Amino acid sequence: MRADSRRTLLTRSPPLAPPVTGLLRFLSPDRSNPPPTTLRREILAALTTFGAMGYVVVVNPQILSVTGADRHALIVITALAAMVGSLLMGLIGRLPVALAPAMGTNAVFAMAVAGGHGVTYGTALVMVLMGGVAFTLFSATRLREHVVMAFPEAIRVGLQCGLGLFIAKIGLRGGGLLTPAGQFGDLRHPAVMLAFAAVLVTPVLVLLRVPAALLLSILAVTLIGLVVPGADGRMLTHLPSALVQAPPWPSDYVMSFDFASFTSHLALALPLAGYFFLGDFFSATATLIGVTRRAGLMDASGRMPNARAAYLADGLGSIAGACLGSPTVAAYVESATGVESGGRTGLTPILVALLFALATFLWPLIAAIPPQATTPALVMVGVMMMDGIRHLDCTRLENTVSAVLIMLLTVTTGNLVVGLAAGAFAYTFMALALRIRLSPVLLLTDGLLALYLLLSALARHS
């Protein structure tokens, strides 16, 4: 939407009541110059964000269940961790970014506990806690902001576009349009055809500026799924017998840190704690860059408003998550769906947090939303985030190679940090060859990324 058209729409909107205006200003990342938004837009953004990332309440417990933990308790833990993390981001960071247990670190968490090395669930929680504390202390300083600003424009663009491609890949795979082998899905299956049709129709809704187009696509596919069979012969959307259930309090997992076991397994525990810290650091940084850039919240020099507080909120979310019994809590790239629906302030994640609180009671109903319903929204967000490529000076090879490596390796490996490492290393080597001055922070980042790759390799082979 053009800037002049957006201003016209805003001038036609009815004036907000003073308390609402004050609330939006208070939760704005830049209170002196709040971005244009309305209460309605923030609500739609929260609903859209929750619709895109609500799957975490179902998927995260499935991954962690290999540890032997109770699945019902894990559902409550996941929802509570997402609620607390999103509240922290909304109240402290004041950015339209929701937090939840990270999909990458939860797999490492599960493998560490189920790997037969004597690591208990409580031991793994200590690893997450230590990584979260280190992350928070690091975020409390200005060092992290300097790290972000030291990234060349090519790396920032590569991060945004790489995130976009990765989001689209998540959507395509969830909807069955992309198989694990990398092949196109079988359109003879009604579920795959439904997802494909939704991917084609949703851009038309966005182009026509239909309000909450992404949210409407999620709701429409969910309803159509009531009469469309899935691969198992059942309807894609099948309502549970009970829509509301009282959540069980996960007393066996809250504050269940096993420091004694952590001490006796230092050879494995310390590398994994380092893995959780570095993985959260780079992934969360990349997500905040990508989402806030897409929201237009960055200034002309590429700085995020309220960046230090946002980083701090992310770190505190991981500590709170560990206390609740959850793996690392991190910023979710699906927050970009809310940005596309108009989210610009911390009110968006606060409302998402309230929805996660309701999810502890309504989780059976949320579980009924099929992945095909979120496919078109995720694909559209990925497409829209690719507009960052226009900021890249492709006449310089170091820019093109760096950005493309980030995009390629992010989407093919599913690991944003690996893509970032390849892009950063390539830019550094070419800049040295061209005798371009490199900032000390970028060189330090290269070192941290190299350490991350080493710890990741150790974690996989432990």
Side-chain angles (χ1 to χ4, degrees), residues 207-299:
L207 185 64
L208 296 177
R209 300 177 184 176
V210 175
L214 301 183
L215 179 60
L216 286 177
S217 69
I218 293 173
L219 295 176
V221 175
T222 300
L223 291 176
I224 296 173
L226 291 170
V227 296
V228 173
D232 58 359
R234 303 173 63 190
M235 296 299 115
L236 280 181
T237 306
H238 44 277
L239 298 179
S241 57
L243 300 182
V244 179
Q245 290 185 5
W249 178 249
S251 56
D252 293 339
Y253 305 95
V254 175
M255 300 295 294
S256 61
F257 300 113
D258 191 346
F259 291 98
S261 178
F262 178 87
T263 304
S264 62
H265 293 86
L266 282 179
L268 173 64
L270 285 180
L272 283 175
Y275 171 84
F276 290 141
F277 162 65
L278 292 174
D280 191 18
F281 170 78
F282 288 112
S283 295
T285 300
T287 300
L288 288 174
I289 289 176
V291 174
T292 56
R293 185 185 185 115
R294 178 60 196 172
L297 296 176
M298 287 186 171
D299 60 20

Side-chain angles (χ1 to χ4, degrees), residues 53 62 89 110 177 273 275 324 328 358 434 443 453:
M53 65 181 292
Q62 290 176 344
M89 180 58 73
L177 291 172
Y275 171 84
L324 289 169
T328 303
L358 289 176
L434 296 173
L443 295 175
L453 294 178

